[in-house]
Amino acid sequence: MQSSSVHTGGMLTGIRIVDMTPIVFGPCATEILADLGAEVIKVEAPGGDMMRNSGAPVQTEGMGACHMTLNRGKKSVVLDLKKEDDLETIRDRSLSGTGM
């Protein structure tokens, strides 16, 4: 899992959000929740989020400006939800609160 600038403090501190949204509106909403202190975990498929290459790459391929902006302050994990093991991982850990 990667963490860039995860915020601490705020009215949503202690709340975990599992972000499985692929396009602008969902990531924008969860970006705001992260700004308010929630722990937001972005779940991406093995091929990466479809927004990864939107906008010119900042410095690294697959890290376009839109992706970097909409996913700042979030942790990320790659899971293939078509595989039973990964599906169980998200069920168990997101519901139990033990982390990803």
Side-chain angles (χ1 to χ4, degrees), residues 54-86:
S54 296
V58 178
Q59 292 180 343
T60 307
E61 187 175 331
M63 298 291 209
C66 290
H67 176 77
M68 296 294 290
T69 300
L70 293 172
N71 291 296
R72 66 179 168 76
K74 300 177 186 180
K75 297 178 179 179
S76 66
V77 63
V78 174
L79 294 173
D80 185 347
L81 299 181
K82 294 178 182 177
K83 293 183 178 178
E84 191 59 37
D85 288 348
D86 286 357

